[in-house]
Structure formats: structure tokens, C-alpha cells
Amino acid sequence: MKNVIIKETQNPTILKFEFPDFIVKNASHEFKNIDEAAKSPLAQQLFYLPFVKSVYISGNFIAIERYNIVEWDDVKDAVAEQIDDFVNKGGTILKIEEEVKPWDKKQPATVYGESTPNPAVLKFVVNTMLTKVAMEFKNIDETAASPLAKELFKFPYVKEVFIDENYVSVTKYAVNEWAEITLELRSFIKEFIENGGTVIDNNLAAENPTIEKQKIENFDNLDVTSQQIINILEEYVKPAVAADGGNILFDSYDETEKRVKVILQGACSGCPSSTFTLKNGIENMLKDMLKDEDIKVEAINA
């Protein structure tokens, strides 16, 4: 029986082999060599292939990075067949508790609500990693990549949803107070995760225009100042806004006008204090670190 589906990634040296169901939950495992793969009999077997550089196991897929001695087109079908044979013969993927079997009990999750500087936004923090790709959803039509966001929009008071790492930021309409709806949302998110629901479909997320623009290859094509701005935002600004349930993305830099355009997401979007933060925080930081007093920062979605 064929279980594995071959999927390309943004990196031509890495290929994903996807399963129809989860093979691990609440954890990811990366192996750089056969010694590191002691807890994964499947990964150890794959390292016997001379072109296998590293093996990454997470969620419902196994990602393999190859050395340049071969092209994936020449070997990918044989690798998929080897993985299929291993699984169909009852081989152990991981010798740890995270390995998923059909008879597994649902995994308990802890979810708690956390206030943000934006009174319209509450941050629901989860005790497990939800996604490595931050995504914002303004309405239900934008939720193709997130079954969780789609379900949340079915609550009439949910206006926007932002998901990043281990939390979900929900923006509400003014019709309800948080005291009236927090418990219902927290319980729903907890149950959704415990039942193995998909938070973000990474394949569909990669097709999102905002995600597409943030790709590394796009970074490499930017001018030096734009690259410096992105590095400053990533290192100094993002951790702070993430703590408040939000996110900031670089959009563009106009060298003539010295104007930096950014995208605010989650709790930062529409926050009463966002203008102050942009002007007195981020703008001043860029002026200081880039040694340019003419730098201006504006949010294109403020």
C-alpha cells in the first residue's frame, strides 16, 4: 500500500515525503548523521543511502536533504518506495512516545488567554508549537491554509485571526466583551488541538503572497539597506511585538524618499499604540542603527 506522497520544497536539495496522517505530534526531530538517528530506525536506514545529508521528521512528513552527488529526479521514487516498504512492514519511525499510532489517546493541551496592548485582541498561548510560519487571516475566505482559523471565523464575534509559533491572536468585534467569550474560545482551541486538528497547512501557506514575499531568495535580491532593515526588524523588533501577540513584516524601502514600509499583523494591526511604536520606537531605532536621520517608517495597513 502506498502511503507516501512526494512534495517539493523551496530548497531544491530538500524533498518532503508526506504521509496521510501524523507520524509524530508536538515535536520535530532533525538528524545530521546516522549516530544522531539512534532513536529513529527509519532515519538510520535512510542514512545508508550515500546521498542523504540530513533527515527531518515532523508532523505528517519526513524531509530529506541530499548531497549534490545526485538529483532528486533520479532517486526520489526509489526513496519513497523504501519509506513505504519500511512502514508497511511495521517498522518503527521513532522509538519515543511522540510516535503516533491509530490507537493513541488524544494529546492533552494547555491553553491560556493573555491580554495584549490592543484591547480588541486576546492572545491564546498553547504549550506546544503550532507553526513555523506566521499567518494572518482577515476573513474566512483567506483561511485555505488554516483549518483552525476557518473554524474560529464561524464564531460571529471573531473579526481576525493571527497564528504564530505557539499562540493564536484573535481580534473581536465590539459586540462582545472578552469576559463573555474568552472561555468559549479557549475551550474550542484546546479541543481542536487535542483532537489533532491542522492549525496551518504548510503546503498551502507557501502559496500565500505575503509568505512568498518573505522568502530568502527575495532577500538576496534586495539592496544592502533593505537587507539591513530586515535584519534589524528580525533581531530587535519581532521578539518584542511577538510577546504582545503581533508581528511586523518588511514590505519595501524607497531609497529616494528614505521611506520604510512595513506590514503589521495580529495585535499590532489596528492597535491604538501602533503609530507611537512605529514613530518613537522602530523609526528611531532604524535612524540610530543606520546612521540616517531621514529614515521614515509607515505601516501600509495601519
Side-chain angles (χ1 to χ4, degrees), residues 249-261:
L249 298 174
F250 173 82
D251 180 78
S252 61
Y253 170 65
D254 187 310
E255 193 170 0
T256 303
E257 297 184 354
K258 301 292 183 73
R259 189 181 305 279
V260 181
K261 293 185 178 180

Side-chain angles (χ1 to χ4, degrees), residues 65-256:
E65 182 180 9
R66 63 168 173 79
Y67 286 106
N68 292 326
I69 59 171
V70 298
E71 295 296 329
W72 272 123
D73 285 343
D74 298 328
V75 297
K76 62 183 181 182
D77 291 330
V79 174
E81 184 176 348
Q82 181 170 324
I83 294 173
D84 266 329
D85 288 344
F86 181 92
V87 173
N88 289 334
K89 290 177 181 177
T92 299
I93 296 174
L94 285 165
K95 294 190 292 187
I96 50 178
E97 293 180 357
E98 287 91 353
E99 184 172 7
V100 177
K101 299 294 185 183
W103 52 86
D104 274 349
K105 296 178 180 179
K106 69 179 184 180
Q107 300 295 317
T110 301
V111 181
Y112 65 89
E114 201 174 84
S115 61
T116 75
N118 188 339
V121 178
L122 199 65
K123 177 181 176 183
F124 292 90
V125 183
V126 187
N127 67 330
T128 185
M129 178 68 73
L130 300 178
T131 178
K132 292 185 177 181
V133 179
M135 292 199 72
E136 184 176 47
F137 309 95
K138 296 289 190 181
N139 56 63
I140 197 169
D141 287 340
E142 297 179 356
T143 60
S146 176
L148 173 57
K150 184 176 182 179
E151 292 302 315
L152 286 171
F153 274 111
K154 293 179 182 178
F155 292 99
Y157 46 75
V158 171
K159 184 179 181 181
E160 296 176 14
V161 177
F162 174 73
I163 303 173
D164 191 13
E165 294 189 341
N166 68 327
Y167 67 87
V168 181
S169 288
V170 176
T171 305
K172 70 174 182 66
Y173 286 104
V175 66
N176 286 98
E177 298 298 325
W178 281 119
E180 302 170 331
I181 60 178
T182 298
L183 181 59
E184 183 177 31
L185 284 174
R186 188 188 71 81
S187 299
F188 175 81
I189 294 171
K190 182 178 187 295
E191 186 174 342
F192 184 94
I193 293 169
E194 286 182 336
N195 289 327
T198 300
V199 177
I200 297 284
D201 184 324
N202 290 320
N203 292 321
L204 294 176
E207 301 169 6
N208 181 277
T210 303
I211 302 300
E212 179 76 23
K213 191 168 185 177
Q214 309 300 317
K215 285 183 178 179
I216 293 175
E217 53 261 41
N218 294 334
F219 175 87
D220 293 337
N221 293 327
L222 293 173
D223 60 273
V224 174
T225 304
S226 293
Q227 292 181 342
Q228 290 175 324
I229 292 168
I230 291 173
N231 288 334
I232 292 170
L233 294 177
E234 289 286 334
E235 186 172 353
Y236 297 100
V237 181
K238 275 197 174 185
V241 297
D244 289 334
N247 192 31
I248 185 169
L249 298 174
F250 173 82
D251 180 78
S252 61
Y253 170 65
D254 187 310
E255 193 170 0
T256 303

